[in-house]
């Protein structure tokens, strides 16, 4: 226990010195007495902690948390279209409307979600993702249950309000799901695999992909079974209960991985330092701003230039518009 406490103190002290931009020589000098006591050298000890292989149980926690989150999402994605058909039989209007709202939300706000994840701490993204995703599906599932019970209210203001709630909750849930996919599949497994043996990143990618595909295949089977042999209302209630009961377990599993893997915390600090450096460079060299580059590209087109060369305020508006994460993200693919 004393060695573990010493190890934790070493990590804390190194993190403090990294934040204060203290040179490694000063740290070694501060803890030079550790060698005299027969303990590990600070630099060697910290390096071994960073490069140590992640225990297998933490990877199982990561995969289990990812499975529970994806299972709830896949159940809702399959069931929502059928719910809308049962709410308004002989019409695909509600199903099509939900699909348009969800797809448009991801297309418009997806780049903003990615930019937000880059700027936020992993643990805050984790809490926001799980909280919003499960809460959104609980609200949407509960609202669908009300619509199924009172299906005779079609066309009334109450019916329209409930449909709006379902669409809005579903869109928020889809955006939260996107944040979770980016966090786990694009960030965490990359950071965790950096100090692992060769091939670990490929292995972790394949496992998370199999989990997602398994949920995509089996979750609709489970929901369809409940719809066929119990009732449509029962399937909506099951989705609500699943999201209520699983959110705590998902957070415990994934937060355990976060707090047990030091590289996730170290990665956050590196991202913060990079962001601060980029921000200072942007202030020092405003002409290198990305939105200015986009605006210059627009000015290169004579026809567009004539259209937007009106007043300084119009250029500022266009400048701000092009600087939004959504537009910047779409311009990358153009």
């Amino acid at each position: 226990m004393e060695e573990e406490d010493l190890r934790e103190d070493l990590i804390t002290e190194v993190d403090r010195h990294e934040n204060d931009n203290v040179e490694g020589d000063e740290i070694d000098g501060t803890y030079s007495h550790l060698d005299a006591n027969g303990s590990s050298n600070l630099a060697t000890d910290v390096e071994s902690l960073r490069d140590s292989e992640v225990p297998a149980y933490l990877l199982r926690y990561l995969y289990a948390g990812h499975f529970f989150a994806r299972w709830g999402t896949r159940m809702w994605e399959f069931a929502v279209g059928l719910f809308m058909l049962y709410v308004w039989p002989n019409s695909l209007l509600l199903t099509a409307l939900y699909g348009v709202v969800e797809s448009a939300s991801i297309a418009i706000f997806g780049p903003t979600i990615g930019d937000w994840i880059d700027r936020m701490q992993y643990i805050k993204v984790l809490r926001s993702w799980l909280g919003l995703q499960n809460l959104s599906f609980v609200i949407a599932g509960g609202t669908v249950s009300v619509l199924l019970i009172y299906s005779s209210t079609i066309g009334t203001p109450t019916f329209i309000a409930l449909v709006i709630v379902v669409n809005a909750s579903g869109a928020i849930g889809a955006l939260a799901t996107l944040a979770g996919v980016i966090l786990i599949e694009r960030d965490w497994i990359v950071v965790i695999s950096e100090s692992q043996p060769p091939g670990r990143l490929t292995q972790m990618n394949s496992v998370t992909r199999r989990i997602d595909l398994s949920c995509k295949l089996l979750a609709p089977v489970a929901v369809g079974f409940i719809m066929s042999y119990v009732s449509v209302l029962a399937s909506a209630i099951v989705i609500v209960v699943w999201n209520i009961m699983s959110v705590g377990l998902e957070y415990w599993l994934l937060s355990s991985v976060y707090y047990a893997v030091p590289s996730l915390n170290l990665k956050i600090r590196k991202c913060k330092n990079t962001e601060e450096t980029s921000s200072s460079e942007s202030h020092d060299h405003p002409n290198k701003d990305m939105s200015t580059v986009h605006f210059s590209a627009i000015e290169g087109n004579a026809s567009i230039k004539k259209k937007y060369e009106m007043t300084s305020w119009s250029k500022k508006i266009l400048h701000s518009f092009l600087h939004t994460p959504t537009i910047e993200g779409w311009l990358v693919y153009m």
Side-chain angles (χ1 to χ4, degrees):
M1 291 299 294
E2 293 180 356
E3 183 177 352
E4 293 180 357
D5 293 339
L6 177 60
R7 190 176 294 266
E8 293 178 359
D9 292 340
L10 292 177
I11 296 177
T12 303
E13 190 64 24
V14 169
D15 292 341
R16 184 178 68 81
H17 281 283
E18 286 181 351
N19 292 334
D20 296 337
N21 295 322
V22 178
E23 298 295 334
D25 294 339
E26 183 178 344
I27 298 177
D28 293 337
T30 304
Y31 289 90
S32 58
H33 65 279
L34 295 177
D35 291 331
N37 295 331
S39 301
S40 300
N41 177 267
L42 176 63
T44 304
D45 195 37
V46 173
E47 189 67 24
S48 64
L49 285 174
R50 291 177 178 176
D51 295 339
S52 60
E53 187 170 354
V54 176
Y57 79 92
L58 288 179
L59 296 180
R60 288 194 291 268
Y61 282 6
L62 177 66
Y63 298 146
H66 186 58
F67 168 79
F68 287 123
R70 297 304 291 162
W71 183 271
T73 299
R74 292 302 186 183
M75 283 199 301
W76 172 255
E77 289 177 351
F78 171 78
V80 63
L82 299 177
F83 290 153
M84 294 304 184
L85 285 175
Y86 275 91
V87 169
W88 195 342
N90 304 321
S91 176
L92 294 173
L93 177 61
L94 295 182
T95 304
L97 179 63
Y98 181 87
V100 169
V101 171
E102 183 182 90
S103 300
S105 299
I106 294 176
I108 295 173
F109 299 107
T112 305
I113 295 296
D115 181 69
W116 173 72
I117 292 174
D118 289 338
R119 293 183 287 104
M120 295 294 292
Q121 293 183 359
Y122 286 152
I123 190 64
K124 292 182 179 180
V125 176
L126 176 65
R127 292 167 180 167
S128 301
W129 156 42
L130 294 179
L132 285 176
Q133 175 182 297
N134 288 276
L135 178 62
S136 298
F137 291 154
V138 167
I139 294 175
T143 306
V144 165
S145 301
V146 175
L147 287 171
L148 291 171
I149 295 174
Y150 300 100
S151 57
S152 59
T153 61
I154 294 178
T156 63
T158 302
F159 175 84
I160 296 174
L162 292 175
V163 170
I164 292 175
V165 171
V166 172
N167 283 270
S169 300
I172 295 174
L175 292 173
T177 300
L178 176 62
V181 170
I182 295 174
L183 179 68
I184 300 299
E185 299 184 6
R186 301 293 183 270
D187 279 5
W188 278 26
I189 63 174
V190 174
V191 174
I192 292 174
S193 63
E194 282 180 348
S195 59
Q196 303 305 301
R200 179 56 60 87
L201 177 59
T202 302
Q203 178 188 6
M204 296 179 69
N205 273 323
S206 63
V207 172
T208 54
R209 185 60 178 166
R210 284 199 298 269
I211 290 173
D212 188 34
L213 292 177
S214 299
C215 293
K216 189 174 183 179
L217 174 66
L218 299 177
V221 174
V223 174
F225 181 86
I226 297 173
M227 286 184 174
S228 300
Y229 293 98
V230 185
S231 67
V232 178
L233 178 61
S235 64
I237 295 175
V238 166
I239 292 176
V240 172
V241 173
W242 174 273
N243 284 277
I244 293 175
M245 296 183 63
S246 65
V247 61
L249 180 59
E250 293 166 10
Y251 179 75
W252 177 75
L253 290 169
L254 296 176
S255 63
S256 299
V257 176
Y258 171 82
Y259 288 115
V261 179
S263 58
L264 292 176
N265 292 286
L266 295 174
K267 186 72 174 180
I268 293 171
R269 296 188 185 95
K270 292 178 182 178
C271 291
K272 283 185 175 181
N273 294 334
T274 302
E275 182 181 273
E276 292 174 357
T277 303
S278 301
S279 177
S280 62
E281 290 179 353
S282 177
H283 288 299
D284 294 338
H285 305 284
N287 291 331
K288 294 183 179 181
D289 186 75
M290 182 178 293
S291 60
T292 306
V293 175
H294 295 320
F295 186 75
S296 299
I298 292 177
E299 285 187 330
N301 190 311
S303 60
I304 301 180
K305 179 180 179 181
K306 184 180 296 183
K307 180 178 180 180
Y308 288 106
E309 276 188 347
M310 293 180 294
T311 58
S312 59
W313 63 267
S314 63
K315 289 185 178 181
K316 291 180 180 179
I317 293 176
L318 179 61
H319 179 91
S320 302
F321 175 72
L322 292 174
H323 191 60
T324 58
T326 300
I327 301 302
E328 286 183 345
W330 277 104
L331 286 175
V332 171
Y333 297 97
M334 294 182 178

